[in-house]
Short mmCIF file of all heavy atoms in Angstrom, two decimals:
data_model
loop_
_atom_site.label_atom_id
_atom_site.label_comp_id
_atom_site.label_asym_id
_atom_site.label_seq_id
_atom_site.Cartn_x
_atom_site.Cartn_y
_atom_site.Cartn_z
N ASP D 33 -7.73 26.71 0.79
CA ASP D 33 -6.60 25.86 0.46
C ASP D 33 -5.93 26.42 -0.78
O ASP D 33 -6.47 27.28 -1.46
CB ASP D 33 -7.08 24.43 0.20
CG ASP D 33 -6.01 23.41 0.54
OD1 ASP D 33 -4.83 23.79 0.64
OD2 ASP D 33 -6.36 22.25 0.73
N ALA D 45 -8.54 10.82 -6.07
CA ALA D 45 -9.32 9.69 -6.60
C ALA D 45 -8.53 8.95 -7.67
O ALA D 45 -8.51 7.72 -7.71
CB ALA D 45 -10.64 10.19 -7.16
N LYS D 56 1.91 -12.38 -4.98
CA LYS D 56 1.16 -13.46 -4.36
C LYS D 56 2.10 -14.54 -3.86
O LYS D 56 3.18 -14.75 -4.43
CB LYS D 56 0.22 -14.12 -5.39
CG LYS D 56 -1.01 -13.36 -5.70
CD LYS D 56 -1.88 -14.20 -6.63
CE LYS D 56 -3.19 -13.50 -6.91
NZ LYS D 56 -4.05 -14.30 -7.76
N PRO D 60 1.78 -23.98 -4.79
CA PRO D 60 1.81 -25.28 -4.13
C PRO D 60 2.17 -25.22 -2.65
O PRO D 60 1.78 -26.07 -1.88
CB PRO D 60 2.89 -26.07 -4.88
CG PRO D 60 3.31 -25.26 -6.02
CD PRO D 60 2.75 -23.89 -5.86
N TYR D 61 2.88 -24.17 -2.25
CA TYR D 61 3.28 -24.05 -0.84
C TYR D 61 2.21 -23.36 -0.01
O TYR D 61 2.19 -23.51 1.21
CB TYR D 61 4.61 -23.30 -0.74
CG TYR D 61 5.70 -24.01 -1.49
CD1 TYR D 61 6.07 -23.61 -2.76
CD2 TYR D 61 6.31 -25.13 -0.94
CE1 TYR D 61 7.05 -24.29 -3.46
CE2 TYR D 61 7.29 -25.82 -1.64
CZ TYR D 61 7.66 -25.40 -2.90
OH TYR D 61 8.61 -26.08 -3.59
N THR D 113 3.79 -1.80 11.84
CA THR D 113 2.84 -0.70 11.83
C THR D 113 2.77 -0.06 13.22
O THR D 113 3.30 -0.59 14.19
CB THR D 113 1.43 -1.19 11.46
OG1 THR D 113 1.00 -2.13 12.45
CG2 THR D 113 1.40 -1.84 10.09
N HIS D 123 4.13 -15.24 3.64
CA HIS D 123 5.16 -16.25 3.42
C HIS D 123 5.14 -16.77 1.98
O HIS D 123 4.15 -16.61 1.27
CB HIS D 123 4.98 -17.43 4.38
CG HIS D 123 5.04 -17.03 5.82
ND1 HIS D 123 6.21 -16.64 6.44
CD2 HIS D 123 4.07 -16.95 6.77
CE1 HIS D 123 5.96 -16.35 7.70
NE2 HIS D 123 4.68 -16.53 7.93
N TYR D 136 9.06 -0.59 -2.55
CA TYR D 136 7.91 0.31 -2.73
C TYR D 136 7.40 0.81 -1.38
O TYR D 136 7.11 2.00 -1.21
CB TYR D 136 6.77 -0.38 -3.48
CG TYR D 136 6.94 -0.38 -4.97
CD1 TYR D 136 6.97 -1.57 -5.68
CD2 TYR D 136 7.07 0.81 -5.68
CE1 TYR D 136 7.11 -1.57 -7.06
CE2 TYR D 136 7.22 0.81 -7.06
CZ TYR D 136 7.24 -0.38 -7.74
OH TYR D 136 7.38 -0.38 -9.11
N GLY D 139 9.86 3.30 0.14
CA GLY D 139 9.80 4.54 -0.64
C GLY D 139 8.56 5.35 -0.33
O GLY D 139 8.62 6.57 -0.17
N LYS D 145 6.45 10.86 4.77
CA LYS D 145 7.10 11.65 5.82
C LYS D 145 7.52 13.03 5.32
O LYS D 145 7.52 14.00 6.07
CB LYS D 145 8.33 10.92 6.37
CG LYS D 145 8.03 9.77 7.26
CD LYS D 145 9.32 9.12 7.74
CE LYS D 145 9.06 7.90 8.58
NZ LYS D 145 10.31 7.23 8.97
N ILE D 155 2.84 7.67 -13.72
CA ILE D 155 2.94 6.48 -12.87
C ILE D 155 4.28 5.76 -13.05
O ILE D 155 4.85 5.27 -12.07
CB ILE D 155 1.74 5.53 -13.10
CG1 ILE D 155 1.69 4.45 -12.02
CG2 ILE D 155 1.78 4.93 -14.48
CD1 ILE D 155 1.39 4.95 -10.64
N LYS D 161 11.10 6.23 -9.19
CA LYS D 161 11.60 7.02 -8.06
C LYS D 161 11.41 6.27 -6.74
O LYS D 161 12.29 6.30 -5.88
CB LYS D 161 10.90 8.37 -7.99
CG LYS D 161 11.12 9.25 -9.20
CD LYS D 161 12.51 9.78 -9.24
CE LYS D 161 12.65 10.75 -10.40
NZ LYS D 161 14.03 11.12 -10.65
N GLN D 163 11.31 3.04 -6.31
CA GLN D 163 12.30 1.98 -6.28
C GLN D 163 13.66 2.51 -5.83
O GLN D 163 14.36 1.87 -5.05
CB GLN D 163 12.43 1.32 -7.67
CG GLN D 163 11.26 0.46 -8.06
CD GLN D 163 11.30 -0.88 -7.36
OE1 GLN D 163 12.33 -1.46 -7.13
NE2 GLN D 163 10.12 -1.36 -7.02
#
Side-chain angles (χ1 to χ4, degrees):
D33 209 342
K56 283 185 176 181
Y61 301 99
T113 62
H123 301 289
Y136 278 123
K145 285 180 183 176
I155 192 67
K161 298 288 185 191
Q163 288 283 324

